[in-house]
Amino acid sequence: MQGKTAIVTGSTSGIGLGIAAALAESGVNIVLNGFGDRDEISRTTDRLREAHHVGILYCGANIADPSEIADMMDRTRSEFGGIDILVNNAGIQHVAPVEEFPPEKWDAIIAINLTGAFHACRLAMPDMKRSRWGRIINIASAHALVASPFKSAYVAAKHGIAGLTKTIALELAEHGVTANAICPGYVLTPLVEKQIPEQAAARGISGEAVMRDVLLAAQPTKKFVEVSEIAALTAFLCTNAASSITGSILPIDGGWTSH
Ligand code: NAD
């Protein structure tokens, strides 16, 4: 993997940051993307660059905007020569019953969690076909396989990502490019921490009860999945040992979707 280049969307926080760090550790140049405090982001890029001696480029492209995704691809090509690995990880959540679900939240979740991944794949695929090697890894969710109440847009987007992943895998099967989706169960990142009070309001229970009876109730291991576990699986999918794994929808969910 040494010398290859990865774009990891939504990598200023949580799972994406863990994936970016694991790929950098394997010698991959990283395009870090996402929002956040500029000083903190610049400390992160310095830290990754110094620890792993790879190129790190920060690009604050809004994944809801196709023209900003295209600019990010162009900047990656000028900085590193092309795109070898694309990790579509940027994602947001909103929790509310369907009748009360704000239509603008629906649109934003579909735009970022699903349509943004389509645009990024569409724009990165020619680079991968040209070099006859590539890896597309979509960070889906256990919600790509099962539903939960009050998460209609998220569940719809994540089921959509599974379909997109399988389609791309078929289209690229003879080009040395694999496409897979990773489906984590609950990981204690800012995305989940934020939904604890929302879930509590929607269900009329305490935040503690949400952790115990809603989040970890779904996971037979009764443990949150670790960011490092998702990062390690992503890094493995990028190796040549994983070249026959394509079109796979891979749960990493403590047994949740075995129910
Ligand atoms: P997080 O909130 O910690 O990180 C989300 C990242 O996406 C941040 O870097 C944020 O800046 C970025 N982002 C948000 N909107 C963006 C936009 N419009 N353009 C560019 N970047 C944007 O969340 P996380 O828990 O690390 O989630 C990462 C992915 O993992 C998401 O796709 C999420 O659906 C998925 N996931 C999370 C869990 C979990 O339990 N945390 C479980 C399954 C799947």
Side-chain angles (χ1 to χ4, degrees):
M1 271 195 279
Q2 195 83 32
K4 296 211 185 293
T5 296
I7 295 177
V8 185
T9 71
S11 48
T12 51
S13 164
I15 294 171
L17 181 53
I19 291 172
L23 292 178
E25 198 181 340
S26 307
V28 174
N29 300 317
I30 302 293
V31 178
L32 206 77
N33 161 257
F35 304 141
D37 178 75
R38 278 303 171 116
D39 291 341
E40 202 181 315
I41 292 171
S42 116
R43 278 194 296 277
T44 303
T45 55
D46 290 348
R47 183 170 50 79
L48 290 175
R49 202 177 286 119
E50 281 156 27
H52 306 299
H53 309 290
V54 292
I56 308 284
L57 173 72
Y58 169 67
C59 180
N62 179 356
I63 298 302
D65 182 337
S67 69
E68 293 193 22
I69 299 174
D71 287 346
M72 177 169 66
M73 299 286 166
D74 287 342
R75 283 185 62 195
T76 306
R77 289 183 193 106
S78 359
E79 184 80 13
F80 299 122
I83 302 133
D84 304 297
I85 298 166
L86 170 67
V87 182
N88 286 304
N89 167 80
I92 58 166
Q93 173 65 287
H94 186 77
V95 180
V98 169
E99 306 99 295
E100 292 160 28
F101 210 92
E104 64 278 10
K105 291 274 186 204
W106 171 278
D107 288 343
I109 289 174
I110 299 297
I112 297 165
N113 297 20
L114 178 58
T115 311
F118 158 71
H119 289 300
C121 290
R122 154 180 96 69
L123 293 163
M125 279 162 61
D127 294 64
M128 297 180 183
K129 282 167 94 167
R130 206 173 304 118
S131 51
R132 299 208 53 79
W133 193 96
R135 295 287 185 266
I136 293 173
I137 296 155
N138 293 324
I139 305 304
S141 164
H143 285 120
L145 298 162
V146 295
S148 295
F150 316 125
K151 295 187 176 176
S152 52
Y154 188 86
V155 170
K158 295 297 186 181
H159 275 65
I161 274 284
L164 175 68
T165 305
K166 291 193 247 183
T167 307
I168 290 173
L170 296 179
E171 291 188 17
L172 296 181
E174 294 184 61
H175 293 271
V177 182
T178 67
N180 293 288
I182 293 180
C183 300
Y186 283 108
V187 189
L188 201 53
T189 64
L191 180 136
V192 168
E193 282 160 5
K194 179 177 163 285
Q195 69 180 270
I196 293 170
E198 291 175 2
Q199 285 265 18
R203 292 170 187 266
I205 56 177
S206 72
E208 216 168 83
V210 168
M211 294 262 269
R212 188 189 57 239
D213 300 332
V214 180
L215 303 186
L216 292 180
Q219 251 161 242
T221 51
K222 301 290 176 221
K223 288 193 301 195
F224 285 101
V225 178
E226 297 292 328
V227 167
S228 60
E229 297 173 288
I230 299 163
L233 178 56
T234 305
F236 174 69
L237 289 173
C238 293
T239 64
N240 287 333
S243 53
S244 296
I245 305 178
T246 195
S248 296
I249 310 300
L250 301 161
I252 172 164
D253 64 3
W256 173 356
T257 54
S258 301
H259 280 172

